[in-house]
Amino acid sequence: MTTIIDGKQVAASVIEAVKDAASSLLQETGVKVGLAVVIVGDDPASHTYVSAKSRMAKECGFTSVQHTLPAETTQEELAALVKTLNEDPSVNGILVQLPLPKHLKSEPIIQSILPEKDVDGLHVVNAGKLATGDLEGGLVSCTPAGAMVFVRRIHGEDLSGLNAVVIGRSNLFGKPMSALLLAANATVTTAHSRTSDLAAVCRNADILVAAVGRPQMVKAEWVKPGATVIDVGINRIPAPDKGEGKTRLVGDVAFEECAKVAGVITPVPGGVGPMTIAMLMANTVIAAYRSAGRKPPRF
Ligand code: GUN
């Protein structure tokens, strides 16, 4: 029997733990967790994501402040806002929604966020801590952290002897995911568009994580029988069966056929997706605990 992971349910359990942690911190130290979310311009998809993040922060009992800046905002104005948020002790986490409008450079902005407030885990200090296996000191990028919650719930803390293959080598996902699996003692291969015989590489995986951005690329023949398959892809494809001009979301994994071979598989939507916001909340609580000199809980 194949297990289909319910990402919404796992995310809800993380959110419950975040709420408990935020409420304990408030009771014990008087510190209310604070998240600042910054959005520049009027990209509708970005506004939808940011509203969901701000709403969830409030639901978790945080102080949630959203800074909505016009599309014409200059690099200097955005940098000045980040500096103010860095210096504000009531702000534990800062998230600058990406992509920024084309005239703005995102990298200097992301790197100007204090690493201890970088709840997106994108600062080089946080990437470096993860790369050196310092999981206690830094903040881990939310989507790989969420995928890793699934891996831990299925395989436990120690992945010794297991082969893990991550397809994708982005700084946002592939590299941190590989680092997390390696830190848990898996034998890790980071595959990508230049890998030869990708199917054979994937068939070796006890844990297969797909983050390539190509709809339904991973086929049943790529999956080792009984493997854990985690699909990080979110692709919108035409769905003429639903009516003219209609679309549907699919992952990087051909779900129906792979589900027949895998032991455990995540669906799209409803798999890794819901975990990203949950882990953002978890990172914010972790940042607040550290700022208060307390040992944060593990999520
Ligand atoms: N845009 C899409 N996903 C993300 C994310 O995880 N963090 C930020 N900052 N922007 C995004």
Side-chain angles (χ1 to χ4, degrees):
M1 250 312 267
T2 307
T3 302
I4 298 171
I5 294 180
D6 183 345
K8 275 194 202 157
Q9 202 182 337
V10 180
S13 75
V14 171
I15 290 295
E16 283 312 306
V18 167
K19 285 180 186 170
D20 289 347
S23 138
S24 302
L25 189 66
L26 184 60
Q27 272 174 19
E28 289 163 21
T29 68
V31 170
K32 192 166 182 201
V33 181
L35 174 65
V37 180
V38 179
I39 178 162
V40 186
D42 33 44
D43 177 60
S46 289
H47 273 271
T48 305
Y49 293 140
V50 161
S51 304
K53 290 170 186 177
S54 297
R55 211 176 323 120
M56 184 61 88
K58 288 204 177 90
E59 207 180 307
C60 288
F62 302 176
T63 303
S64 166
V65 182
Q66 186 174 322
H67 297 265
T68 307
L69 305 182
E72 314 76 66
T73 301
T74 64
Q75 190 81 28
E76 291 71 29
E77 285 166 338
L78 182 55
L81 173 58
V82 171
K83 184 168 183 289
T84 307
L85 297 172
N86 276 340
E87 288 165 358
D88 184 343
S90 73
V91 173
N92 303 115
I94 303 171
L95 179 136
V96 177
Q97 184 69 18
L98 302 174
L100 290 171
K102 283 202 174 53
H103 69 282
L104 295 173
K105 292 193 204 77
S106 55
E107 203 48 31
I109 294 296
I110 297 300
Q111 301 307 331
S112 74
I113 296 172
L114 280 178
E116 57 269 34
K117 295 191 178 189
D118 165 42
V119 284
D120 248 338
L122 299 178
H123 196 285
V124 289
V125 164
N126 285 319
K129 284 187 176 171
L130 177 55
T132 54
D134 175 8
L135 297 182
E136 302 305 312
L139 290 164
V140 178
S141 163
C142 305
T143 306
M148 203 59 199
V149 171
F150 292 158
V151 171
R152 275 204 302 272
R153 290 195 182 192
I154 297 154
H155 295 278
E157 300 287 332
D158 185 5
L159 308 179
S160 294
L162 295 176
N163 291 326
V165 173
V166 179
I167 322 174
R169 55 172 160 174
S170 67
N171 290 333
L172 208 58
F173 185 82
K175 282 178 198 159
M177 187 72 217
S178 292
L180 284 168
L181 290 161
L182 188 60
N185 302 322
T187 302
V188 183
T189 303
T190 310
H192 47 81
S193 57
R194 308 288 179 94
T195 300
S196 73
D197 202 351
L198 187 54
V201 171
C202 292
R203 258 195 310 275
N204 192 37
D206 302 298
I207 300 167
L208 177 60
V209 186
V212 262
R214 294 239 214 127
Q216 300 166 315
M217 185 174 93
V218 175
K219 307 293 183 204
E221 312 82 75
W222 299 27
V223 177
K224 180 176 175 175
T228 296
V229 178
I230 296 182
D231 191 351
V232 186
I234 302 177
N235 311 285
R236 196 163 278 286
I237 61 163
D241 53 303
K242 286 167 66 178
E244 201 183 310
K246 298 281 187 202
T247 60
R248 68 155 57 86
L249 284 182
V250 297
D252 293 346
V253 173
F255 181 83
E256 297 296 334
E257 58 179 81
C258 290
K260 294 191 178 110
V261 186
V264 180
I265 191 164
T266 67
V268 175
V272 175
M275 292 300 287
T276 301
I277 290 190
M279 298 319 287
L280 173 67
M281 300 304 135
N283 275 349
T284 310
V285 143
I286 289 169
Y289 267 71
R290 287 182 185 151
S291 154
R294 299 241 161 176
K295 189 174 159 48
R298 187 140 180 268
F299 294 97

